[in-house]
Amino acid sequence: MDRRIKIRHLQALTEIVRQGSMKRAAQRLLLTQPAISRTLSELEEIVGVRLLTRSRAGISLTAKGEYLHGLALNSLSTLEQGLAGIKEAGREGAASLQIGALPSVAARLMPETVAQLSETAPELRLTIADGSHEHLTRLLRAGDLDVVIGRLGAPETMQGLSFTQLYLEEVAIVTRPRHPIQNDPDLRRLAEWPVIFPPPWAAIRPFVERYLIAAGIPIPSRRIETVSGAFGRSYVQDSDAIWFISAGVVAREIAQGRLARLPVATELTAGPVGVMTRADHVENAGSALFRQAVHRAVDKLGLTGKADSHHTEPS
């Protein structure tokens, strides 16, 4: 659309047609008659065609004016509905949103998303559930959640759902700082220590399995299977365990030096993270505000189009 077209141009056109008179339209818009006439002339100059004709019978639309008038009505109506929705979402108790957050986003993306959302709709009531991909998508299909955000699951788990990708994320291999393997990062030594491994229903499990197969390394027999962030953080910091987990889950601990990422290439584990809704989902004001807040959070965290990668060659 031509950036020179402003809301005042569309308002002037629709009000002139509604009133059938330049004078009455000017009064409705609190303008002088020369001002509204000048606004209409600006619009006609921008689009390069005459939109209205004047005669003794009154004002009538040209064929192209009728086409633009229909677009103007739709645009102004959509804008009014959107503004009304924002006001409604901002009223105490007026709107709520049930969100499912997979471990890959719960620790990093969701806090920033909530911070962004608090600026645009501070009274929008959020309910945030966590859990596995299988658990949360089941709740989503049942209508108990409005949206789930996290890693894309296997095709059979996505039936009846829509997925919008936000960014790519890798699986990180982490230990406590000064773990012996950090001095010699050879994954063939995994069997020397306990391993925290994703369970079969975790979205990252197939990625980790393929990664180990490609490196010629068997799945560790001495393993604890969980995607619990709380357990993993506590256990790894106080033991020699090695943890396979989505990079977003431990990004803060790594940045603060409480955990250390093993310096091996993990690009093969990269998978899409995004927003999941039911295929028949109809976006309302609350979900639209949430979607916009998610995109702002992704931009602020620098995640767009990136994976949390290490480029050291695997051992």
Side-chain angles (χ1 to χ4, degrees):
M1 190 181 86
D2 194 313
R3 293 176 180 269
R4 293 174 295 170
I5 297 179
K6 309 298 182 185
I7 291 178
R8 61 185 176 86
H9 293 125
L10 304 182
Q11 288 176 322
L13 175 62
T14 56
E15 198 60 40
I16 290 169
V17 173
R18 184 180 293 114
Q19 299 298 329
S21 161
M22 297 282 283
K23 181 179 180 180
R24 289 195 296 272
Q27 290 172 342
R28 289 283 298 178
L29 295 175
L30 303 179
L31 297 172
T32 64
Q33 192 166 334
I36 198 169
S37 179
R38 185 167 57 251
T39 301
L40 177 63
S41 297
E42 288 174 1
L43 180 58
E44 290 180 326
E45 183 179 348
I46 291 169
V47 298
V49 296
R50 180 168 290 280
L51 301 173
L52 296 174
T53 59
R54 302 179 184 86
S55 66
R56 291 182 180 179
I59 291 175
S60 60
L61 288 163
T62 64
K64 292 183 178 179
E66 191 168 342
Y67 175 74
L68 183 60
H69 177 252
L71 294 177
L73 283 174
N74 288 336
S75 298
L76 292 173
S77 175
T78 300
L79 180 61
E80 288 175 2
Q81 291 174 12
L83 293 173
I86 290 174
K87 290 179 180 177
E88 185 69 14
R91 293 176 187 166
E92 179 68 39
S96 62
L97 199 65
Q98 286 70 44
I99 303 163
L102 271 74
S104 54
V105 301
R108 176 168 57 171
L109 183 59
M110 278 305 299
E112 182 59 38
T113 297
V114 172
Q116 293 289 331
L117 193 57
S118 67
E119 297 180 6
T120 53
E123 303 305 331
L124 179 63
R125 186 172 64 253
L126 300 179
T127 300
I128 302 175
D130 62 5
S132 69
H133 185 279
E134 182 182 16
H135 173 65
L136 294 180
T137 52
R138 188 188 305 119
L139 293 177
L140 180 60
R141 284 193 195 86
D144 296 321
L145 294 176
D146 298 308
V147 60
V148 170
I149 184 166
R151 270 215 180 213
L152 175 66
E156 61 271 16
T157 70
M158 295 299 294
Q159 293 182 4
L161 302 180
S162 173
F163 180 85
T164 302
Q165 182 172 322
L166 297 170
Y167 58 92
L168 294 174
E169 181 176 64
E170 295 182 8
V171 173
I173 306 173
V174 299
T175 68
R176 63 172 175 80
R178 296 177 296 280
H179 188 289
I181 199 172
Q182 293 287 346
N183 298 323
D184 181 17
D186 186 345
L187 291 180
R188 289 171 296 184
R189 302 177 63 200
L190 277 179
E192 297 178 25
W193 299 282
V195 173
I196 303 180
F197 205 76
W201 58 84
I204 65 172
R205 173 71 174 244
F207 293 89
V208 175
E209 288 184 343
R210 286 197 295 267
Y211 174 74
L212 292 179
I213 291 170
I217 299 168
I219 294 176
S221 58
R222 186 183 173 193
R223 65 182 187 269
I224 302 167
E225 295 191 345
T226 182
V227 287
S228 169
F231 171 79
R233 291 184 191 94
S234 178
Y235 188 67
V236 170
Q237 289 180 69
D238 296 329
S239 73
D240 283 337
I242 299 173
W243 189 14
F244 287 79
I245 191 66
S246 292
V249 176
V250 289
R252 180 172 298 178
E253 286 76 17
I254 291 172
Q256 295 172 347
R258 289 184 282 137
L259 292 174
R261 185 166 177 170
L262 202 62
V264 296
T266 53
E267 288 90 344
L268 287 177
T269 66
V273 172
V275 176
M276 289 165 263
T277 58
R278 291 181 296 280
D280 59 355
H281 171 72
V282 177
E283 190 170 71
N284 56 27
S287 57
L289 289 166
F290 175 75
R291 174 177 50 79
Q292 293 161 8
V294 168
H295 284 285
R296 288 196 301 273
V298 168
D299 289 341
K300 184 171 181 179
L301 293 171
L303 298 173
T304 307
K306 294 183 179 180
D308 298 285
S309 59
H310 277 254
H311 299 289
T312 307
E313 291 302 315
S315 300

